[in-house]
DNA sequence: GTCTATAGCCTGATAGAC
DNA sequence: GTCTATCAGGCTATAGAC
C-alpha cells in the first residue's frame, strides 16, 4: 500500500513477495476485502494503543489529550498507508466490519473521558463534555494529519510544520469552551453545583 | 470517480459512457494520467472561483475568510471525488503538472491577502500575516472537510455537524493571533508604528 | 497447506484501415 | 476522428492434484 497506494494492494503482489502462489493466500483470507478488514482492525488497535500509552502518564485533562493525540499523530505518519485506510476510506468497495470498527468507539470514549477531566479541573467549560467537542478535536487532528500527508509526503511528525501547530490548536480549546468565571468583565453563568 | 473511487477511473469506462471505443479517447488525451491532470486543473479553477466569488462581496478580513472557505467547503462536498483528487492525492502514480498546480498558489495568496486585511483592521495580531497562519487555516478547512467526507458520506455542507463547527473554528483565530492591546492585564507589545 | 492450471474478467495503449 | 483488431499485461477467484 505504501508503494502503490492503498487501492493498489493486490493479492498477487502479496503472494509474490511472500514467495508463494496467489491461490495459497485463500487458505488464510477468503477475499481481498477480508485482507483490508484484517489490516483495518490491526491498524485501529495499534493506533488506539499508541494513544492510550501516551495518555496514561500525562496529567489528566488537556495535557492527556495533547499527549495522546500527539502520539497518535506520530503513529499515523509512521504508518501512512494504514492510517489512510483507517481514516480516509479511499477504497470505495470496502466497508469495515463492526468488529474492526470497535476500537474507534473506544478511542472516542478515551477523548471524552479526558474532556470530562478537563471540565472537572476547570481547564474547560462544561460545554466541552459533549459530542461536539469530540468532533472539534477530531477536526483538528485529522486536519493536521491530512495536510502533513498531502503536502509533506517525506516528513515525519517531528519535522512537519503542520504537526508543529498541533499543540497550538489544542491550546485553543479553552477559547472554544471557556471555563466559567475566567472571562474578565463577565459574570460566571451555568450550574452553581 | 464518484462511483468507483478516484483511483477507479478508467478510460474504458469513460469510452463506454461516451458511446465510443477506447482508442478514440487517445485523440484527445495521450494517457490516463493526462486525463487526471485535466480534471485536476479544472477542479482547481472551479474551486478557486467558488472561493473568490464568495469572498468578494464580504467584509474584508475574517468575514471574507469565513465566507470564502465556507463556499469552498460547499463546493468540495458537491464535488467530493474531484475534491479528493485535488486535496488528498489518492492516485499514487499521478503528479499534477505545474500548470495544473498554479491555481493553488493563487488560493494561498487570496487567504494571505485577507489575513493582511484582518491585521490592518485589528481583528488579528500582526503574527497572523504569516505562512503559519495560512497553514493553520488550511488545517481547519481540510480537517472539517476530511471528517465530513469520511464520516458523513451522504450529507452536504449544510447538513454536516462538522461543517457546522467551521464558523466556530474560524472564530478561534483571534485567540491564536490576539490583536495587540486587546489582552486585559497585559501591555501591548510589538511595533509602535 | 501448497501447488498447477485456468476461467473470466479487467486494464492501458498501439497499429493501421476507413 | 472514428473504427476494428490486437498486444501485453494485470487481476480475483476457483477447481482439483499432491
Amino acid at each position: 500500500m505504501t508503494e502503490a497506494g492503498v487501492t493498489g494492494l493486490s493479492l498477487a503482489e502479496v503472494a509474490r513477495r511472500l514467495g508463494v502462489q496467489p491461490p495459497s493466500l485463500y487458505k488464510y483470507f477468503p477475499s481481498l476485502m477480508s485482507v483490508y478488514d484484517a489490516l483495518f482492525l490491526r491498524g485501529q488497535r495499534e493506533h488506539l494503543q499508541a494513544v492510550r500509552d501516551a495518555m496514561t502518564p500525562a496529567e489528566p485533562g488537556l495535557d492527556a489529550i495533547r499527549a495522546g493525540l500527539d502520539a497518535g499523530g506520530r503513529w499515523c505518519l509512521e504508518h501512512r498507508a494504514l492510517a489512510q485506510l483507517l481514516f480516509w476510506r479511499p477504497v470505495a468497495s470496502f466497508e469495515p466490519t463492526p468488529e474492526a470498527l470497535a476500537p474507534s468507539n473506544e478511542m472516542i470514549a478515551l477523548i471524552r473521558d479526558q474532556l470530562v477531566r478537563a471540565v472537572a479541573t476547570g481547564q474547560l467549560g462544561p460545554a466541552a463534555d459533549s459530542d461536539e467537542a469530540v468532533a472539534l478535536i477530531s477536526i483538528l487532528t485529522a486536519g493536521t494529519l491530512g495536510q502533513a500527508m498531502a503536502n509533506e509526503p517525506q516528513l515525519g511528525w517531528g519535522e512537519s510544520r503542520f504537526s508543529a501547530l498541533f499543540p497550538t490548536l489544542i491550546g485553543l480549546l479553552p477559547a472554544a469552551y471557556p471555563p466559567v468565571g475566567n472571562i474578565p468583565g463577565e459574570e460566571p453563568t451555568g450550574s452553581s453545583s
Side-chain angles (χ1 to χ4, degrees), chain A:
Chain A
M1 294 197 299
T2 298
E3 295 169 26
V6 178
T7 60
L9 179 67
S10 92
L11 291 179
E13 183 63 23
V14 169
R16 220 169 281 132
R17 300 197 186 191
L18 285 174
V20 299
Q21 294 298 320
S24 303
L25 300 178
Y26 284 83
K27 288 285 172 186
Y28 304 90
F29 298 94
S31 70
L32 174 61
M33 290 307 145
S34 74
V35 175
Y36 276 123
D37 206 56
L39 287 169
F40 189 95
L41 176 58
R42 174 183 296 197
Q44 290 274 21
R45 284 182 175 160
E46 284 189 17
H47 176 254
L48 176 65
Q49 198 55 45
V51 172
R52 212 200 303 265
D53 286 350
M55 268 187 178
T56 308
E59 188 78 18
L62 275 186
D63 279 352
I65 290 174
R66 182 164 23 224
L69 295 183
D70 188 79
R74 175 167 288 105
W75 183 91
C76 285
L77 290 197
E78 282 168 357
H79 306 79
R80 295 178 115 93
L82 203 41
Q84 284 172 38
L85 176 67
L86 297 184
F87 304 119
W88 278 275
R89 312 281 191 92
V91 187
S93 54
F94 166 62
E95 193 71 30
T97 56
E99 303 89 70
L101 271 171
S104 143
N105 300 322
E106 277 192 67
M107 182 73 191
I108 292 172
L110 226 52
I111 302 293
R112 189 64 179 265
D113 198 53
Q114 296 299 336
L115 283 171
V116 170
R117 306 291 198 111
V119 171
T121 58
Q123 291 180 307
L124 297 176
D129 178 12
S130 63
D131 289 341
E132 185 196 277
V134 174
L136 199 146
I137 288 171
S138 77
I139 287 175
L140 302 181
T141 311
T144 305
L145 280 166
Q147 289 301 97
M149 286 194 187
N151 299 309
E152 309 170 326
Q154 320 291 357
L155 302 186
W157 183 258
E159 298 100 43
S160 163
R161 67 191 182 96
F162 293 102
S163 72
L165 290 172
F166 188 66
T168 303
L169 288 165
I170 295 296
L172 293 176
L173 284 175
Y177 302 103
V180 178
N182 256 6
I183 312 168
E186 290 189 14
E187 300 169 39
T189 53
S191 87
S192 57
S193 65

